[in-house]
């Protein structure tokens, strides 16, 4: 969250997971503004409808992918899975799918060459931070009910605002600060939710550890997104879809390789065969769970990347947060999580905070159109 399981990431993700890469990339409207003024009204309206269709499709990919990946991750643990490093590995292992995006959106030559050595070092550092983020999310999903886990992930928007202000010079408004306070309060309520301590035999200590690690993962995910935006603005300096895909692919490659090392170094790989044999729903279900978890994170990642390219990383993160209230409802239906009064209040506060953030985004767009 990536939920990640799966991303932002100015969140968010990742998810993305993988779902997890969101960079502030101005939409193509800036470059096309002069032409748009000269174009006929009908042509402009058709282009606007096409843009909204693409944005809606990307948002659907993000919501479906993130929700599916989170539920499949919880299903893996509920059926007897226990490898946290494998769970972290799955959040980025499906990155080769994104090479199809590079095929359809190839890189264009530019006059200014990006320093390869510096970019490679940035990819490595971000990939390693992403690995730490994924393993924290994996611990949280193992120790917490999926409803509690998803609502805590809503705090990534609050972290996103803080890091964006410090690293990306984002202006803070009253509505944004209101969103930060509400989302923080929502996560705090869940941190002291005594009725979840006995979930699946999880002790109070492990529950609190899961809460703290999920909260830490949300903050780390937001830091990753701000650092990526900073990299695009000061190092990469390209506003192309292929540049965004390259960032996603190579950081995911580093994170996948690091997770693979962790899987073998921890000795968890020795238990995978026995884990598959004892998986409650069978070996085939075990393999399908792993495959579709990885695919789901990449579906979410494609949605995130598309929203980054068409709108902004902030909007992508907002859609990611919008999907979170959906997960607890499925958690109650599929895993029979308890939806007690504290969780309901936390979810309502989270939705209130999300709406406050969306309204600020609406005001900003309205102001930009009238300018």
């Amino acid at each position: 969250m990536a939920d990640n399981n799966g991303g932002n990431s100015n969140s968010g993700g990742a998810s993305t997971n993988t779902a997890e890469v969101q960079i502030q990339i101005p939409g193509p409207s800036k470059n096309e503004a002069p032409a748009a003024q000269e174009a006929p009204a009908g042509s402009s309206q058709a282009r606007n409808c096409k843009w909204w269709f693409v944005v809606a499709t990307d948002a659907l990919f993000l919501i479906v992918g993130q929700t599916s990946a989170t539920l499949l991750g919880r299903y893996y643990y509920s059926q007897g899975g226990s490898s946290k490093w494998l769970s972290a590995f799955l959040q980025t292992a499906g990155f080769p799918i994104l090479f199809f995006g590079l095929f359809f959106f190839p890189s264009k030559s530019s006059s200014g060459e990006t320093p390869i050595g510096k970019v490679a070092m940035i990819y490595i550092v971000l990939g390693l931070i992403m690995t730490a983020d994924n393993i924290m999310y994996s611990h949280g999903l193992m120790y917490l009910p999926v409803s509690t886990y998803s609502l805590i992930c809503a705090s990534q928007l609050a972290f996103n605002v803080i890091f964006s202000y410090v690293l990306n010079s984002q202006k803070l408004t009253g509505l944004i600060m209101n969103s930060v306070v509400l989302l923080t309060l929502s996560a705090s309520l869940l941190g002291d939710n005594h009725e979840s301590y006995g979930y699946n035999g999880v002790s109070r200590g492990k529950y609190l550890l899961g809460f703290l690690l999920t909260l830490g993962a949300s903050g780390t995910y937001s830091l990753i997104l701000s650092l990526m935006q900073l990299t695009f603005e000061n190092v990469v300096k390209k506003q192309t879809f292929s540049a965004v895909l390259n960032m996603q692919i190579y950081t995911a490659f580093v994170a996948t390789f690091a997770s693979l090392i962790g899987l073998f170094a921890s000795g968890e790989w020795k238990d995978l065969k026995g884990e598959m044999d004892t998986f409650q729903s069978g070996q085939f279900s075990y393999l399908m769970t792993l495959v579709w978890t990885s695919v789901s994170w990449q579906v979410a990642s494609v949605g995130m990347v598309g929203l980054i390219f068409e709108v902004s990383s902030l909007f992508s993160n907002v859609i990611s947060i919008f999907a979170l209230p959906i997960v607890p409802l499925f958690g109650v239906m599929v895993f029979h999580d308890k939806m007690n009064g504290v969780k309901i209040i936390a979810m309502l506060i989270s939705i209130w905070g999300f709406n406050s953030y969306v309204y600020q985004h609406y005001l900003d767009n309205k102001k930009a159109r009238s300018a």
Side-chain angles (χ1 to χ4, degrees):
M1 258 202 41
D3 303 11
N4 206 289
N5 209 232
N8 253 61
S9 138
N10 300 347
S11 79
S15 293
T16 284
N17 257 178
T18 313
E20 333 174 31
V21 177
Q22 310 163 32
I23 309 95
Q24 181 74 30
I25 302 297
S29 58
K30 289 187 178 180
N31 297 331
E32 297 175 357
Q37 294 176 357
E38 300 175 2
S43 176
S44 177
Q45 184 176 3
R47 186 163 54 248
N48 188 47
C49 290
K50 181 180 179 182
W51 182 84
W52 275 111
F53 175 77
V54 172
V55 169
T57 302
D58 289 335
L60 181 64
F61 274 29
L62 174 54
I63 293 173
V64 172
Q66 178 177 288
T67 303
S68 300
T70 303
L71 291 172
L72 285 169
R74 181 62 256 176
Y75 180 77
Y76 164 76
Y77 287 125
S78 68
Q79 294 295 302
S82 60
S83 176
K84 294 175 284 293
W85 278 108
L86 178 61
S87 181
F89 171 80
L90 293 175
Q91 293 181 45
T92 54
F95 72 89
I97 296 175
L98 299 181
F99 281 108
F100 288 103
L102 286 180
F103 176 78
F104 291 107
F105 299 94
S107 301
K108 297 180 180 180
S109 59
S110 57
S111 56
E113 290 295 331
T114 304
I116 297 178
K118 183 183 292 186
V119 171
M121 183 58 65
I122 291 173
Y123 286 165
I124 292 172
V125 172
L126 287 175
L128 293 176
I129 298 175
M130 190 182 297
T131 304
D133 185 55
N134 290 343
I135 196 65
M136 284 192 288
Y137 272 130
S138 298
H139 276 82
L141 195 56
M142 182 177 186
Y143 295 142
L144 298 176
V146 69
S147 53
T148 304
Y149 167 87
S150 300
L151 291 173
I152 295 174
C153 286
S155 63
Q156 70 188 37
L157 190 57
F159 287 113
N160 179 29
V161 170
I162 296 172
F163 286 123
S164 294
Y165 175 76
V166 175
L167 298 176
N168 309 122
S169 302
Q170 177 179 313
K171 183 178 69 174
L172 299 182
T173 65
L175 286 172
I176 290 179
M177 291 307 299
N178 179 61
S179 174
V180 170
V181 172
L182 291 173
L183 290 170
T184 303
L185 177 60
S186 173
S188 299
L189 284 174
L190 292 171
D192 194 39
N193 184 15
H194 297 276
E195 292 187 29
S196 295
Y197 290 157
Y199 171 76
N200 279 359
V202 174
S203 65
R204 175 172 179 174
K206 288 185 176 181
Y207 175 86
L208 292 177
L209 176 62
F211 168 80
L212 292 175
L213 288 175
T214 304
L215 195 63
S218 297
T220 304
Y221 178 66
S222 300
L223 175 62
I224 290 171
L225 299 180
S226 291
L227 290 175
M228 286 182 171
Q229 179 179 334
L230 202 62
T231 300
F232 265 80
E233 292 173 350
N234 298 290
V235 180
V236 178
K237 298 180 180 178
K238 292 181 181 178
Q239 299 177 0
T240 62
F241 191 57
S242 61
V244 176
L245 283 177
N246 280 328
M247 173 73 80
Q248 169 69 9
I249 288 171
Y250 294 117
T251 54
F253 169 77
V254 174
T256 301
F257 185 71
S259 298
L260 198 60
I261 293 176
L263 180 64
F264 282 92
S266 65
E268 289 186 0
W269 67 275
K270 299 177 183 178
D271 302 325
L272 295 183
K273 180 62 169 64
E275 184 177 275
M276 182 173 64
D277 292 337
T278 58
F279 202 66
Q280 294 179 19
S281 52
Q283 295 182 354
F284 181 76
S285 177
Y286 177 82
L287 293 175
M288 288 297 97
T289 299
L290 300 187
V291 169
W292 287 109
T293 299
S294 182
V295 170
S296 295
W297 279 124
Q298 293 313 306
V299 170
S301 176
V302 169
M304 288 179 185
V305 172
L307 289 175
I308 290 163
F309 182 70
E310 295 293 342
V311 190
S312 70
S313 61
L314 292 180
F315 185 79
S316 182
N317 194 26
V318 166
I319 296 299
S320 178
I321 297 300
F322 175 72
L324 290 179
I326 300 174
V327 179
L329 298 179
F330 280 102
V332 172
M333 292 185 291
V334 178
F335 302 111
H336 307 292
D337 288 354
K338 295 181 179 179
M339 185 59 76
N340 54 41
V342 174
K343 286 184 181 180
I344 293 175
I345 293 174
M347 185 169 65
L348 293 176
I349 293 177
S350 177
I351 295 174
W352 182 8
F354 161 76
N355 288 335
S356 178
Y357 197 91
V358 169
Y359 186 62
Q360 180 62 58
H361 187 79
Y362 164 77
L363 293 179
D364 291 341
N365 281 346
K366 185 178 180 181
K367 183 178 179 180
R369 287 196 301 267
S370 62

